[in-house]
Each structure stands twice: as structure tokens, then as C-alpha cells.
Amino acid sequence: MKIALYAFDDITMFHLAAPLMVFGEVTRLGLAQHWETRLWSERAGSIRTEEGYTLGDIADPSVVDWADIVIVPSWPVTLPPIDDALSAQLRTAHQRGVEIAGLCLGSFAIADTGLLAGRAAVTHWTKMDELRERNAHTDTDESVLYIDHGDVMTSAGTASSIDSCLHIVRKHLGSAAATRVARSLVVAPHRDGGQAQYIERPVTTAADDTTIADVMQWALGRLHEPLPIERLADRARMSRRSFIRQFQSATGSTPARWVLEQRLNEARTLLETTTRSIENVAAACGFGSAVTFRQNFTSAFAVAPSAYRKQFTGDS
């Protein structure tokens, strides 16, 4: 995988470091032999970061012709319109099948190219109104961490860059690889939000509520069993109403939605890493039937389980 990372004067170190760290870990862990990332800008040479550091060995725009993925990891805080040359480079790369991603404020640059016309996009929450006003042809969704249309991707604010890059790893190398990278970096592996086009919502963890966290951990070991709200509430020694309220407060999700997300996550892992039948996967993940499993999986990921498996294993 050849990844071209756009850099410019006054970019922050973090916005460059996040993708370099995630993609570099793929190689360091031996998950893929050739994942290479190069920094580039309008001209070869060096750039100066917002923190005052000078970074050298910056490639010129020709590196875009080399890349499989082009990422704009941020954008100047003044949000200038993208210049014609850079816009043309991104559109041309997209036409030849290169994946394009705008992280954080980099979403503005991608939207300016017109590649998001008629599609949803996300950026840092403080700039969502400006993105909406500036690109009326682009839909916006501030409730998600990132939106991947397959060929074009945008992400929310700063730390979401890590989430987005982990998603890229998962998309190309599978959930096991993404989980290893996440564990190595001591960050949470990604969990899907149950929307088509791989729209992801904030990770649902139990924050400091140890009771809810204990119930979640208990439930993860029993995904193959029925997990109605009443059973979870009994485990927490709470009434149904109190449990739902405290679960939502602690995680930002409902118990039922969270359980479904975990079942789907487990199903993805089994499809990617085993040859179990669809019926077996459905039972192992707690779906009442293969039909119910297929319906939920297709609704969440806009692809049938068998087709999803084929992306990673070649099996039908």
C-alpha cells in the first residue's frame, strides 16, 4: 500500500503523526510487507510545522502518481479554498482509482474538489456549519466519527484521525490486523455504528461507571446467548428503566444497539478469520437465524455476509 500524505506550512505535528504512526505500525508488526507513506507538498523540500519544527525530505506533487491512497490530514485554520492545481491532482488521482481521504479540516479540501457532491461528509465539529455553508452540494453529518464512501473518506476532529486510519487498515487488512495495531498503540479498536457506507459513530465505552463496564464485559462473553435488556439489568441489579438510563449516560448508546454492534463486530471477525458457515456464524453471534443475521449485516455494512467474507478470504 502506497500512501501519499499532504503536508503544508503550519500543519500541526499531530495531524501528520497520527497516520504515520498507524500505518507505520502495520509494517513494524509485520502485518503487511510494503505499507509505505510519503509526505508531499506543492514543491519538494521542507515545511515548517505550527510547533516550529522543520521537516525535510518533502516530495513534490508527482508522488500522487505513485500512490494508492492520498490523504489530506488537515487544512490551514483560515480554511482557504483549495487551489486549482491541488484540486486537479486529487480529482485526477480519484479518476484512476486512488482512494482520497480528508481528515479533520482536510475535509474542506476534499469537499472543494467536488468529489463529495451529493454525498455525506464530516469535519471537526466546530467547523461543521462552515463546511455546510461553503459546500451546499455536500451533505453533512456531525454525529459520526468518519464517513467512508469506499473511494472518498472524511473524518471528524483531531483524534478521529487515528480512528480513520485504523479503519483504513481494517478495510484493507481485516479486523485482526486493525486490532493488533490498536492494541500496540494502546487505543480502542473501532466499532461500527450500524450504518451503510461504513459510517462510524463514537466508540461506546463505559467511562468511569464500573457497574455498566462489568455488565458490558460480562455480555461480551455471552454474545451467543439471548441478551435482552431485562437480563442485562438483572446482572447490574437495577430496574429496567434505571439500567437503560445509566447505560445511555455511561456509553452514549442504548443497550440494545450496543449488543447488536458487538454481535456484528464478532460476526465480521469470524467472517474474516474462519471458514464457519453463515448459519454457524449467525448462531455464534447470537442472531436468531441466518436470515436475521443477513438482514442486520447487510443493513449495517451495505454488503451481504458472504460477499464481505470474499473480500478477505476469497471464500463464498
Side-chain angles (χ1 to χ4, degrees):
M1 187 66 65
K2 295 173 287 190
I3 304 164
L5 196 63
Y6 180 71
F8 53 87
D9 284 330
D10 293 325
I11 192 172
T12 66
M13 292 289 290
F14 182 90
H15 285 115
L16 289 176
L20 288 170
M21 177 176 63
V22 172
F23 301 138
E25 202 68 9
V26 169
T27 300
R28 287 187 287 271
L29 292 174
L31 301 174
Q33 292 185 343
H34 302 293
W35 272 52
E36 183 180 354
T37 305
R38 295 183 186 177
L39 301 183
W40 66 285
S41 195
E42 292 91 345
R43 61 185 182 281
S46 64
I47 62 161
R48 190 166 180 81
T49 71
E50 184 181 53
E51 296 82 3
Y53 299 107
T54 297
L55 299 181
D57 198 24
I58 305 296
D60 64 30
S62 65
V63 78
V64 174
D65 297 330
W66 159 89
D68 301 307
I69 301 175
V70 175
I71 297 177
V72 180
S74 187
W75 199 241
V77 293
T78 56
L79 301 178
I82 192 171
D83 65 55
D84 292 341
L86 178 56
S87 180
Q89 287 163 353
L90 295 179
R91 291 198 308 272
T92 299
H94 177 261
Q95 288 171 358
R96 67 179 181 84
V98 172
E99 293 179 32
I100 307 295
L103 310 183
C104 196
L105 298 184
S107 301
F108 279 82
I110 308 306
D112 282 352
T113 67
L115 294 176
L116 289 166
R119 295 166 136 184
V122 64
T123 189
H124 193 285
W125 65 273
T126 62
K127 303 296 183 182
M128 287 294 292
D129 287 342
E130 291 180 63
L131 181 64
R132 192 176 295 115
E133 293 169 4
R134 176 160 152 177
N135 294 278
H137 59 278
T138 299
D139 297 326
T140 55
D141 187 347
E142 57 192 293
S143 67
V144 299
L145 278 181
Y146 58 79
I147 303 174
D148 183 5
H149 296 285
D151 56 334
V152 182
M153 176 179 177
T154 55
S155 85
T158 310
S160 299
S161 297
I162 297 176
D163 302 314
S164 306
C165 293
L166 282 172
H167 169 73
I168 290 172
V169 173
R170 179 164 195 156
K171 183 166 72 169
H172 290 282
L173 296 178
S175 60
T179 298
R180 282 196 62 192
V181 171
R183 286 176 178 165
S184 180
L185 299 177
V186 198
V187 296
H190 239 122
R191 306 177 191 185
D192 297 279
Q195 301 294 316
Q197 299 179 342
Y198 295 99
I199 296 178
E200 309 256 346
R201 300 191 182 277
V203 172
T204 52
T205 58
D208 297 324
D209 191 321
T210 56
T211 299
I212 298 300
D214 288 344
V215 172
M216 293 169 75
Q217 190 62 38
W218 176 84
L220 286 173
R222 294 165 176 79
L223 293 177
H224 59 289
E225 301 175 5
L227 292 171
I229 293 174
E230 290 76 12
R231 189 180 181 194
L232 300 177
D234 286 345
R235 178 69 184 182
R237 296 192 174 122
M238 297 180 189
S239 69
R240 187 179 190 276
R241 180 177 297 180
S242 293
F243 177 73
I244 292 173
R245 183 176 64 251
Q246 291 196 34
F247 193 97
Q248 288 181 307
S249 176
T251 70
S253 177
T254 66
R257 183 179 184 83
W258 180 83
V259 169
L260 177 59
E261 288 177 350
Q262 306 321 303
R263 295 193 198 282
L264 290 169
N265 282 338
E266 181 66 12
R268 269 208 316 195
T269 298
L270 293 177
L271 290 171
E272 293 171 12
T273 61
T274 76
T275 57
R276 294 188 187 188
S277 68
I278 299 300
E279 290 74 14
N280 185 282
V281 171
C285 298
F287 291 96
S289 68
V291 172
T292 300
F293 169 52
R294 288 189 178 95
Q295 290 173 340
N296 279 278
F297 195 93
T298 303
S299 175
F301 307 124
V303 63
S306 57
Y308 182 86
R309 164 176 277 166
K310 196 170 183 180
Q311 297 176 27
F312 294 95
T313 67
D315 295 333
S316 60

